[in-house]
Amino acid sequence: MERRKPFVVNNSGHEEWFTPQIYADAVRAVMGDIDLDPASCGEANQIIRARRYFTKEEDGLKQRWHGRIYINPPYKQRVMSKFVEKLITEFTDRNVTEAIMLTNNATETKWFQDLLSCSRAVCLHKGRIRFVNEKGEIIGAPLQGQAFFYLGDNISRFCEIFGRFGIILIPKFRLTRFF
């Protein structure tokens, strides 16, 4: 009997999944403006319209983050975990006042669990997001569904705006060990 590889292993490895306009508008509806997108490029920023963004060459992981952040980082596991760690650090240090991060729904990963533990609300998107390329053309959907994580104090506004896209979870318990 032939053993097949898991579906996700067949991923194309395509990294440039630009956020569709409808979600960029929702982010601005929650946070007002976007001060920084630390994982972006000029084409993606035409949709996001962040006041500042860091390109791959500038390496947002080496930069100081500030203000209201929107981030749709590269979907490579090792890179994703570094962006999650950086966001948590910058938010904990109060450099980031509010953030929305779009990720795949890799609930089994450490980075997902870490981000979930410090988020104030999460939207588990219904179905997979149809991302766009640098020309604004739909390029398809990743092999997994997506989640929007919210860090900040405007929880009710996040729930109101993002509730139309999927189920909203409000993490209440942050247990570090079980007895």
Side-chain angles (χ1 to χ4, degrees):
M1 178 176 190
E2 179 185 340
R3 294 190 73 171
R4 294 177 51 162
K5 291 183 179 181
F7 185 60
V8 175
V9 170
N10 298 317
N11 190 342
S12 68
H14 185 66
E15 287 182 50
E16 300 299 331
W17 301 92
F18 294 176
T19 304
Q21 188 69 54
I22 190 170
Y23 305 108
D25 292 343
V27 169
R28 281 189 296 280
V30 172
M31 298 193 304
D33 288 326
I34 300 168
D35 297 314
L36 178 66
D37 182 345
S40 195
C41 64
E43 295 86 358
N45 198 54
Q46 290 183 22
I47 299 168
I48 302 304
R49 298 193 321 258
R51 290 182 177 159
R52 177 135 166 76
Y53 63 91
F54 297 128
T55 64
K56 186 175 185 177
E57 293 74 31
E58 293 171 303
D59 190 355
L61 293 169
K62 293 181 179 175
Q63 309 295 329
R64 184 169 179 259
W65 296 4
H66 64 279
R68 296 163 293 184
I69 305 286
Y70 172 71
I71 182 170
N72 174 9
Y75 278 28
K76 287 184 177 178
Q77 289 297 324
R78 277 185 255 131
V79 177
M80 179 72 78
S81 64
K82 290 177 182 178
F83 274 101
V84 167
E85 183 179 318
K86 175 79 169 170
L87 176 60
I88 291 170
T89 299
E90 295 285 356
F91 184 73
T92 303
D93 290 348
R94 299 178 190 232
N95 297 326
V96 170
T97 56
E98 195 172 20
I100 295 177
M101 185 176 206
L102 172 59
T103 73
N104 56 21
N105 63 4
T107 59
E108 77 287 0
T109 64
K110 180 181 182 319
W111 64 259
F112 190 98
Q113 294 294 318
D114 290 346
L115 189 54
L116 184 61
S117 73
C118 75
S119 294
R120 302 292 303 276
V122 180
C123 173
L124 298 177
H125 194 275
K126 295 176 200 166
R128 290 181 263 160
I129 292 176
R130 305 237 359 203
F131 288 87
V132 297
N133 65 14
E134 65 278 356
K135 298 175 187 168
E137 302 164 334
I138 295 173
I139 58 171
L143 301 174
Q144 293 175 263
Q146 287 71 49
F148 290 91
F149 291 85
Y150 176 73
L151 290 76
D153 293 329
N154 204 352
I155 301 166
S156 60
R157 184 76 173 147
F158 177 83
C159 294
E160 175 188 342
I161 299 298
F162 277 83
R164 67 183 167 154
F165 300 127
I167 300 294
I168 301 291
L169 302 176
I170 311 260
K172 288 191 175 209
F173 300 102
R174 289 172 173 80
L175 299 176
T176 56
R177 65 192 269 201
F178 297 96
F179 297 96

